[in-house]
Amino acid sequence: MGKTADLTAVQKAITDTLKQEGKTQKEISEQIGCSQSAVSRHLNGKSVGRKKCGRKRCTTRRSDRTLRKIVEKDRFQTLGDLRKQWTESGVETSRATVYRRVQEMGYRCRIPQVKPLLNQKRRQKRLTWATEKQHWTVAHWSKVLFSDESKFCMSFGNQGARVWRKTGEREMPKCLKSSVKYPQSVMVWGAMSAAGVGPLCFIKGRVNAASYQEILEHFMLPSAEKLYGDEDFIFQHDLAPAHSAKTTGKWFTDHGITVLNWPANSIDLNPIENLWDIVKRKLRDARPNTLDELKAAIEASWASITPQQCHRLIASMPRRIEAVISAKGFPTKY
């Protein structure tokens, strides 16, 4: 016969009170709703808790700490690698045990975020730049015209629509998703500020200093006119070769435009990247089939971006700066 459960803290308090009132063990057990033997064990001081059931844990706290150090050393190791190193440290376990332990420690196997490579020199430059801009307010950032290029493809990878099919219909033509080795794509240049977005430019061929200056002349200047009118503004672009060419620098000097110094590989600091993401998410729903349809969908999505969305992104700049400082120059969540 199995061992009866021990009394709860409340039941123990009631039992002690009823015993002082002269109640018998049977009367007490009937009143608190438990067995007489449980009351007897409590009154006789033999209620020490039930022994734990199940298999004994095969690892110790010390060996678990060793596994944690192994995981922290290299986050990209497989379960097999973790088990091998743990075994080499003197702990013989199965893959299932390794998996359970890392789960208990709070680790989950996830697809890693892809961020631009930042060496120590670039991280230091990012940190210095962020420190210099730490006291810029939203009003300061509202004077900046942010720009960038982005590539849009006809194929959207594994994302997008799924297919309903039965067993054995995997190769059925109506259930297949077509792919091409070199999907058609377009390169787009755009600009945005706290007041909204400027006109898009669809780029043909590779961008060099001369073609980039044509973009600035025919698309950046109209964007600035639309968003700032006669007010002064600061232009932002990254450190692409066409952007940092001497002739491009001379173009800005000749036009009297101030260019914001920008740290390398810092897409997390440019709010226009968020606008590109918005456009690409909308394209997954549109599913264009031709290059003309792709361009039309991009233009429609870009035109649907509101000034309120742009202002919210510009208002995030002080938080982006603080995030870079907190991360000591490393990539941030933005």
Side-chain angles (χ1 to χ4, degrees):
M1 186 174 178
K3 188 176 181 181
T4 58
D6 293 322
L7 302 181
T8 65
V10 175
Q11 288 175 325
K12 291 177 180 179
I14 296 174
T15 298
D16 293 336
T17 302
L18 295 177
K19 182 62 177 176
Q20 292 176 1
E21 295 176 358
K23 301 291 185 179
T24 64
Q25 293 183 5
K26 184 177 181 180
E27 291 173 332
I28 295 173
S29 65
E30 291 175 351
Q31 189 164 340
I32 66 175
C34 68
S35 66
Q36 187 176 339
S37 60
V39 175
S40 176
R41 286 201 308 276
H42 171 65
L43 295 175
N44 294 324
K46 296 181 180 180
S47 179
V48 293
R50 308 177 76 182
K51 292 183 178 179
K52 291 184 178 180
C53 58
R55 183 180 174 184
K56 184 180 179 181
R57 189 180 178 91
C58 63
T59 61
T60 63
R61 291 182 179 179
R62 182 175 182 179
S63 60
D64 291 347
R65 288 196 297 270
T66 301
L67 178 61
R68 185 188 295 274
K69 292 178 182 178
I70 294 172
V71 176
E72 290 286 349
K73 185 178 179 181
D74 183 3
R75 297 295 189 92
F76 288 86
Q77 297 178 91
T78 64
L79 275 178
D81 296 332
L82 295 176
R83 183 193 177 202
K84 181 180 178 181
Q85 292 194 52
W86 211 15
T87 301
E88 291 173 353
S89 69
V91 184
E92 288 284 349
T93 57
S94 65
R95 286 171 59 93
T97 299
V98 176
Y99 179 75
R100 286 196 301 271
R101 294 298 178 268
V102 293
Q103 288 273 314
E104 290 170 3
M105 294 173 189
Y107 297 104
R108 300 293 184 268
C109 189
R110 297 287 187 263
I111 298 174
Q113 287 263 28
V114 179
K115 297 286 186 178
L117 177 64
L118 293 171
N119 55 32
Q120 185 176 359
K121 184 178 180 180
R122 287 175 176 172
R123 292 198 303 271
Q124 184 57 49
K125 286 186 176 181
R126 273 167 56 90
L127 182 58
T128 302
W129 183 89
T131 303
E132 292 173 354
K133 304 294 186 291
Q134 188 174 11
H135 300 294
W136 275 34
T137 63
V138 176
H140 283 99
W141 290 112
S142 296
K143 296 179 181 178
V144 179
L145 180 66
F146 290 90
S147 71
D148 191 33
E149 295 91 4
S150 186
K151 186 178 182 180
F152 292 82
C153 297
M154 293 289 295
S155 174
F156 300 96
N158 294 326
Q159 296 174 330
R162 292 173 177 261
V163 63
W164 291 100
R165 71 186 185 202
K166 299 178 181 178
T167 303
E169 293 182 344
R170 181 175 180 179
E171 306 299 330
M172 185 178 292
K174 65 172 63 176
C175 296
L176 296 178
K177 179 182 176 182
S178 301
S179 65
V180 293
K181 190 171 184 180
Y182 301 107
Q184 288 183 300
S185 63
V186 292
M187 184 68 76
V188 181
W189 179 93
M192 60 89 70
S193 74
V197 297
L200 284 179
C201 172
F202 291 95
I203 302 171
K204 296 180 180 179
R206 298 186 63 179
V207 179
N208 54 29
S211 61
Y212 183 60
Q213 290 161 36
E214 288 292 321
I215 294 173
L216 295 175
E217 189 76 39
H218 297 102
F219 291 92
M220 189 276 282
L221 291 181
S223 296
E225 178 68 25
K226 173 188 175 183
L227 300 173
Y228 291 99
D230 295 330
E231 296 181 9
D232 293 333
F233 69 95
I234 302 171
F235 182 68
Q236 178 278 335
H237 59 182
D238 59 27
L239 301 181
H243 302 177
S244 54
K246 290 183 178 180
T247 55
T248 302
K250 184 177 183 301
W251 186 94
F252 283 110
T253 302
D254 293 342
H255 286 76
I257 297 173
T258 302
V259 179
L260 180 68
N261 65 310
W262 195 253
N265 286 6
S266 297
I267 60 174
D268 54 344
L269 287 170
N270 195 344
I272 199 173
E273 295 290 344
N274 299 85
L275 294 187
W276 294 138
D277 287 340
I278 291 172
V279 174
K280 289 176 180 179
R281 284 199 299 271
K282 290 182 178 180
L283 289 182
R284 295 189 194 117
D285 297 328
R287 312 299 296 175
N289 295 312
T290 66
L291 207 57
D292 288 337
E293 289 182 3
L294 176 62
K295 291 181 179 179
I298 294 171
E299 287 183 322
S301 299
W302 185 256
S304 68
I305 295 172
T306 64
Q308 290 77 15
Q309 287 176 295
C310 295
H311 186 271
R312 283 197 296 269
L313 289 173
I314 297 299
S316 71
M317 285 304 298
R319 297 193 297 273
R320 294 171 190 253
I321 298 298
E322 290 298 329
V324 172
I325 294 174
S326 298
K328 300 187 185 306
F330 279 94
T332 65
K333 67 177 183 178
Y334 292 97

